[in-house]
Amino acid sequence: MKRIALALATTTLLGGPALGQRTAPAPVKVDPAVGKLRDKALDDHIAYDIVEGLTTEIGPRPEGSDPQARARAWGVARLKALGFRNVRVETYTLPVWERGVELAEVVSPFPQKLRLAALGNAGATPPAGLTAPVVFFETFNDLLNAAPGSLAGKIAFVSNSMQPTQDGSSYGSQGIARFAGPNVAATKGAAAIVIRSIGTDHGRGPHTGSTNFAPGVTPIPAAALSVADAENLERMVKRGKPVTLHLTLTPRQIGTRESGNVIAEVPGTDPNAGIVLIGGHLDSWDLGTGAIDDASGIGITTAAAKYLMEAGRHRRTIRVVWFGDEEMGGIGGAAYARAHANERHATAGESDFGADRVWRFETNLPDSARAVADRLAVALAPLGIVRGTGVGGDGTDVGPVLRTGVAAIDLNQDGTRYFDYHHTPEDTLALIDPVQLRQNVAAWTAMLAVVADAPEEIGPVTPKG
Amino acid sequence: MKRIALALATTTLLGGPALGQRTAPAPVKVDPAVGKLRDKALDDHIAYDIVEGLTTEIGPRPEGSDPQARARAWGVARLKALGFRNVRVETYTLPVWERGVELAEVVSPFPQKLRLAALGNAGATPPAGLTAPVVFFETFNDLLNAAPGSLAGKIAFVSNSMQPTQDGSSYGSQGIARFAGPNVAATKGAAAIVIRSIGTDHGRGPHTGSTNFAPGVTPIPAAALSVADAENLERMVKRGKPVTLHLTLTPRQIGTRESGNVIAEVPGTDPNAGIVLIGGHLDSWDLGTGAIDDASGIGITTAAAKYLMEAGRHRRTIRVVWFGDEEMGGIGGAAYARAHANERHATAGESDFGADRVWRFETNLPDSARAVADRLAVALAPLGIVRGTGVGGDGTDVGPVLRTGVAAIDLNQDGTRYFDYHHTPEDTLALIDPVQLRQNVAAWTAMLAVVADAPEEIGPVTPKG
């Protein structure tokens, strides 16, 4: 918004045209083949088939699990059947955390069970659980302000609530209670922490997700209450009587396991033009079947690459990666970046924000490739996609590649309802709207058609801050 | 609809006016005090406070449980605090069924866990579970057509799907898979049965509810898969390979327990005019906190009676009953009818279909009291409530009283979203829309104001078939 305000102020000071009288931009020429390919992709069924297949034939695909290994084999077979080249699994190892028993019960003053889910990397209670008084924090900042040692022997309860946003920005500001809350509570002596789920619904499905403890801090039991249960516990607390919880959480670190990224390519004609890297992630949380997080991202990017393959020769190689492990800190993306540090990438982008429509695109293309972004704007506009005013470069899986100076092209999905379901048992095929899914495929197809054949050199760029 | 069609046909045959030219009805006079009381009730907070209190301070209230006993004590205290007279608990005993472990897992061909909930009265698997092939039935009628003995050693899976209806009529036609499916499967030799939840959502919260086995039929394990899980299992079945399930369900009958109806009154001036009986039920399923089923019905009817109390003297005694046990077959209502068989009731009606707005009313008032229904129509119309073309007389709790010839007044709530949440973990305070809840209170207040003071004699009537 700062950029817009500045532009308007400058215009007014110089006596230039007001917003309604802006001069027309220079015309942009886009190869008509791009629009044809884009519109053909609106009839896509490949993306839906992949989401349907992964959720039905595999189901939940937690990091380092057997189902995830089956999913890699499933992916290799599917990608080969679709005609991709150089299909393979690139393996790596990772530490694996596994969910155990999870039970919570208000002991007093209003005995009843609460629904919750442990956070990834959380510590465990004794097998029989622990009973402790609750200390209530309305916001994460309140927890930060708690005196050192003040939580000794107590269960911290942070109930900060999250609002839906189209761009998902509330995940950063509200998600901090999950990302950092357990570590903060541990350093202040808490026996355990429960947070209100980082979610925008009011239902009973808890939102899990990973958390992290600083080196030297012993992980404490940490879990997210469903939003409905957090609201209930908050009402109990606000009645003014001391509230005691009994909590049983028995997750554990089970050691190192092998995992891997599934990779497929559509070769281009110019090996020196840089790779166009796209993809989503194959792992999912264990509670749902990982439809919108992130079978859809895999389906969308794979389908788009397939349409480029069918269209015939193009300049740049398109590489589709089904990143193996995203949820616990982006281990798959980091492994990919290490393995491919010596290759030239032209652009990178991932689809990992559900399956609702793309509403905006943002890039950090250098001025020398500004014409590429202009053509993207024209090619994407018929899908109802606007050109953002910010700088692209988000994504956990492509992040490590982007940070080496590769240009980012972000196709931003509408996140308004994403956090109603994110990391909950509700993440199933039922959430997929086939019409919006196809719009995604068309957007990625148009992007690939523009970028893979762009005659301009792309990059290196300055990575987003 | 048959009645409407007949009326129109008759009119046309006799050369009477077409629908658009109907003659105006005779004017109806309603005491202006009725409208004032109704509109005051639109500012109600009593109903919400009761729902909030029961869901927060008690939570789930399964039949024969300790929380349900606490809820009776809570109710007595609340009703006395509100100023009601003759507040008491009328006890009775009932057999109690209790949920145990419930786990389901597809063993092959696509291993993954499924979410389900045992049905009330269901039998148990061995403690370690049972593994058996699935026999798929798309509809309940398909199950009925299965050959005797054809299910021996197998798990029947009935996946009939339910559509939302405003009047809830789909519960009867689709609910039969739950009410009768387990008994049918048992008689055909099935080792167990799973059904698609009787629900109109596509989520992961299974819809429980009671089922029944005929005398002499040994209860088999019986459970409802969440709709999302049933859809997933159906997709697996339709891929054509044999599907094997592992099922662990350990519910049990725990014997006889004491329970009771909580009763309160607003005395009228004419003890011979008959009691106006209203209420909802205090028990709830164990998965949610019983907000829309049926703390709301208790709150609505209690609040309405309170407004009549505040308004001062009226002819008939209003009796509010928080029926103790509805979910497993209406034991509370039956106990009430037995205990009060020698009292004269003028009318009876219950609120047990959620907390969304009242859209229609129906009665079976005799012709001698037709003027009462006419005044009800006028008094309820400003709330957007139409006069139905059917015959009133529904309700599990008031059913036994109605069957003795007491007149029914049904205030029908909009059930369009009711079966998204009914009998699931999602039945919590979050579902309560305060504006619609208040419309309910206003409707019941207007009804009571008209009926409690009606000079006409009401009843006996011919019970609905």
Side-chain angles (χ1 to χ4, degrees):
Chain A
M1 291 310 287
K2 203 166 67 176
R3 293 170 138 243
I4 292 174
L6 184 65
L8 286 175
T10 309
T11 306
T12 306
L13 283 170
L14 298 177
L19 194 56
Q21 303 163 315
R22 280 166 60 172
T23 51
V28 173
K29 294 248 187 284
V30 177
D31 182 347
V34 172
K36 282 185 189 158
L37 208 54
R38 176 196 65 215
D39 294 345
K40 182 187 164 197
L42 286 172
D43 293 326
D44 174 65
H45 63 90
I46 296 170
Y48 191 90
D49 283 353
I50 288 173
V51 181
E52 197 265 0
L54 282 171
T55 55
T56 306
E57 299 184 17
I58 310 292
R61 306 172 294 282
E63 295 203 354
S65 67
D66 291 345
Q68 197 200 13
R70 288 201 296 275
R72 287 193 292 278
W74 189 98
V76 167
R78 179 62 60 106
L79 288 161
K80 284 183 176 171
L82 285 167
F84 284 93
R85 301 281 291 278
N86 304 326
V87 177
R88 77 271 192 186
V89 177
E90 292 183 353
T91 60
Y92 52 85
T93 58
L94 80 174
V96 175
W97 174 93
E98 206 171 72
R99 189 178 304 284
V101 173
E102 32 204 28
L103 298 168
E105 193 156 8
V106 179
V107 175
S108 65
F110 306 122
Q112 60 180 290
K113 290 178 183 163
L114 302 176
R115 295 198 170 211
L116 83 182
L119 301 178
N121 288 324
T125 65
L130 65 83
T131 301
V134 166
V135 183
F136 173 65
F137 299 99
E138 189 137 19
T139 67
F140 177 65
N141 188 55
D142 291 339
L143 173 66
L144 287 174
N145 278 306
S150 64
L151 297 178
K154 295 176 177 159
I155 298 173
F157 166 35
V158 184
S159 190
N160 76 165
S161 76
M162 184 173 172
Q163 302 306 317
T165 50
Q166 190 177 21
D167 69 358
S169 51
S170 55
Y171 192 41
S173 51
Q174 260 58 56
I176 190 70
R178 190 193 89 212
F179 313 144
N183 184 66
V184 172
T187 60
K188 292 175 189 285
I193 179 172
V194 293
I195 64 168
R196 175 177 162 136
S197 280
I198 305 304
T200 49
D201 61 308
H202 296 268
R204 300 299 297 286
H207 297 240
T208 188
S210 66
T211 191
N212 283 291
F213 294 91
V217 176
T218 302
I220 58 172
L225 293 161
S226 88
V227 176
D229 288 279
E231 289 171 339
N232 201 0
L233 184 58
E234 188 170 335
R235 287 193 298 271
M236 294 181 200
V237 166
K238 290 187 171 172
R239 273 157 160 77
K241 295 179 188 166
V243 174
T244 302
L245 271 189
H246 182 74
L247 204 59
T248 309
L249 297 168
T250 62
R252 59 197 183 109
Q253 301 285 353
I254 61 167
T256 299
R257 294 283 186 278
E258 186 175 273
S259 188
N261 296 314
V262 180
I263 299 184
E265 289 171 4
V266 185
T269 55
D270 181 355
N272 298 318
I275 292 160
V276 177
L277 174 66
I278 62 174
H281 66 86
L282 189 54
D283 64 312
S284 79
W285 278 102
D286 50 347
L287 303 176
T289 58
I292 64 168
D293 189 13
D294 183 32
S296 53
I298 283 176
I300 290 161
T301 52
T302 301
K306 165 78 173 168
Y307 294 120
L308 268 285
M309 185 202 308
E310 286 179 357
R313 293 158 59 88
H314 49 262
R315 185 178 173 214
R316 292 183 173 85
T317 291
I318 296 165
R319 182 176 289 163
V320 185
V321 181
W322 297 17
F323 292 98
D325 298 276
E326 188 273 344
E327 293 295 358
M328 293 285 276
I331 292 166
Y336 174 86
R338 276 197 309 276
H340 297 271
N342 297 323
E343 278 180 316
R344 183 178 173 208
H345 291 85
T347 67
E350 68 187 49
S351 174
D352 185 18
F353 200 47
D356 283 352
R357 61 185 293 277
V358 176
W359 67 284
R360 185 180 73 175
F361 83 98
E362 287 185 336
T363 80
N364 63 353
L365 288 169
D367 285 347
S368 58
R370 186 177 171 84
V372 180
D374 291 343
R375 292 201 297 282
L376 275 177
V378 170
L380 294 171
L383 298 172
I385 298 169
V386 302
R387 187 174 189 162
T389 56
V391 177
D394 294 323
T396 300
D397 279 317
V398 296
V401 167
L402 294 178
R403 284 192 283 279
T404 67
V406 172
I409 299 178
D410 298 351
L411 297 178
N412 301 130
Q413 292 164 297
D414 191 325
T416 309
R417 68 175 189 139
Y418 185 65
F419 289 104
D420 287 354
Y421 309 113
H422 175 249
H423 294 187
T424 75
E426 300 296 330
D427 181 3
T428 71
L429 186 64
L431 301 185
I432 302 292
D433 172 355
V435 173
Q436 295 196 69
L437 188 72
R438 289 190 197 111
Q439 188 261 15
N440 273 271
V441 176
W444 281 83
T445 301
M447 185 279 282
L448 289 180
V450 168
V451 173
D453 250 356
E456 296 88 351
E457 289 308 285
I458 300 178
V461 301
T462 307
K464 187 174 176 178
Chain B
M1 294 312 284
K2 202 166 67 178
R3 293 173 137 242
I4 292 175
L6 184 64
L8 286 174
T10 309
T11 307
T12 306
L13 283 172
L14 299 177
L19 194 56
Q21 304 162 315
R22 280 163 61 170
T23 52
V28 173
K29 293 248 187 283
V30 177
D31 181 349
V34 172
K36 282 184 189 161
L37 208 55
R38 176 196 65 215
D39 295 345
K40 183 188 164 197
L42 285 172
D43 293 327
D44 175 65
H45 64 90
I46 296 170
Y48 190 89
D49 283 353
I50 288 174
V51 181
E52 198 264 2
L54 281 171
T55 55
T56 305
E57 298 184 16
I58 309 292
R61 306 171 294 281
E63 296 202 354
S65 67
D66 290 345
Q68 197 200 13
R70 289 200 296 274
R72 287 194 292 278
W74 189 98
V76 167
R78 179 62 59 106
L79 288 162
K80 284 182 176 172
L82 285 167
F84 284 94
R85 301 281 291 278
N86 305 326
V87 177
R88 78 270 193 188
V89 177
E90 292 183 354
T91 59
Y92 53 83
T93 58
L94 80 174
V96 175
W97 174 93
E98 206 171 71
R99 190 178 304 284
V101 173
E102 32 203 31
L103 298 168
E105 193 156 7
V106 178
V107 176
S108 65
F110 306 121
Q112 60 179 289
K113 291 178 184 165
L114 302 176
R115 294 198 170 212
L116 82 183
L119 302 177
N121 288 324
T125 64
L130 64 83
T131 301
V134 166
V135 183
F136 174 66
F137 299 99
E138 189 136 20
T139 67
F140 177 65
N141 189 55
D142 291 338
L143 174 67
L144 287 174
N145 278 306
S150 63
L151 297 179
K154 295 177 177 157
I155 300 173
F157 167 35
V158 184
S159 190
N160 78 164
S161 76
M162 185 174 172
Q163 302 306 317
T165 50
Q166 190 176 21
D167 69 358
S169 51
S170 55
Y171 192 40
S173 51
Q174 260 60 56
I176 190 70
R178 191 194 89 211
F179 312 144
N183 185 66
V184 172
T187 60
K188 292 175 190 286
I193 179 172
V194 293
I195 64 168
R196 175 178 163 136
S197 281
I198 306 303
T200 48
D201 61 308
H202 296 269
R204 299 299 297 285
H207 297 240
T208 188
S210 67
T211 191
N212 283 292
F213 294 91
V217 175
T218 302
I220 57 173
L225 293 162
S226 88
V227 176
D229 288 279
E231 289 171 340
N232 201 0
L233 185 57
E234 189 171 334
R235 287 193 298 271
M236 293 181 200
V237 166
K238 290 187 171 172
R239 274 158 159 78
K241 295 178 189 167
V243 173
T244 303
L245 271 189
H246 183 74
L247 204 59
T248 309
L249 296 168
T250 62
R252 60 200 181 106
Q253 301 284 353
I254 61 167
T256 299
R257 294 283 185 279
E258 186 176 272
S259 189
N261 296 314
V262 180
I263 299 184
E265 288 170 7
V266 185
T269 55
D270 181 354
N272 299 317
I275 292 161
V276 178
L277 174 66
I278 62 173
H281 66 85
L282 189 54
D283 63 313
S284 79
W285 278 103
D286 49 347
L287 303 176
T289 59
I292 63 167
D293 188 15
D294 183 32
S296 54
I298 284 176
I300 290 162
T301 52
T302 301
K306 166 78 173 168
Y307 294 120
L308 268 286
M309 185 202 307
E310 287 180 356
R313 293 158 57 89
H314 49 262
R315 187 179 172 212
R316 292 184 173 85
T317 290
I318 297 166
R319 181 176 289 163
V320 185
V321 182
W322 297 17
F323 291 98
D325 297 277
E326 189 273 343
E327 293 296 356
M328 294 285 275
I331 292 166
Y336 174 86
R338 275 197 309 277
H340 298 270
N342 295 325
E343 278 181 315
R344 181 175 175 208
H345 291 84
T347 67
E350 69 188 50
S351 174
D352 185 17
F353 200 48
D356 283 351
R357 62 185 293 277
V358 176
W359 67 283
R360 184 180 72 175
F361 84 97
E362 288 185 335
T363 81
N364 64 351
L365 288 168
D367 285 346
S368 58
R370 184 176 174 83
V372 180
D374 291 343
R375 293 201 297 282
L376 274 176
V378 170
L380 294 171
L383 298 172
I385 298 169
V386 303
R387 185 174 191 163
T389 54
V391 178
D394 293 323
T396 300
D397 279 317
V398 296
V401 167
L402 295 178
R403 285 192 284 278
T404 67
V406 172
I409 300 179
D410 297 352
L411 296 178
N412 302 129
Q413 292 165 297
D414 190 325
T416 309
R417 68 174 189 140
Y418 185 64
F419 290 104
D420 287 353
Y421 309 114
H422 175 251
H423 294 186
T424 75
E426 300 296 330
D427 181 3
T428 72
L429 186 64
L431 302 185
I432 303 291
D433 171 355
V435 173
Q436 295 196 69
L437 188 72
R438 289 190 196 110
Q439 188 261 14
N440 273 270
V441 176
W444 281 84
T445 301
M447 185 279 281
L448 289 179
V450 167
V451 173
D453 251 355
E456 296 88 350
E457 290 307 286
I458 299 177
V461 303
T462 306
K464 186 174 175 177

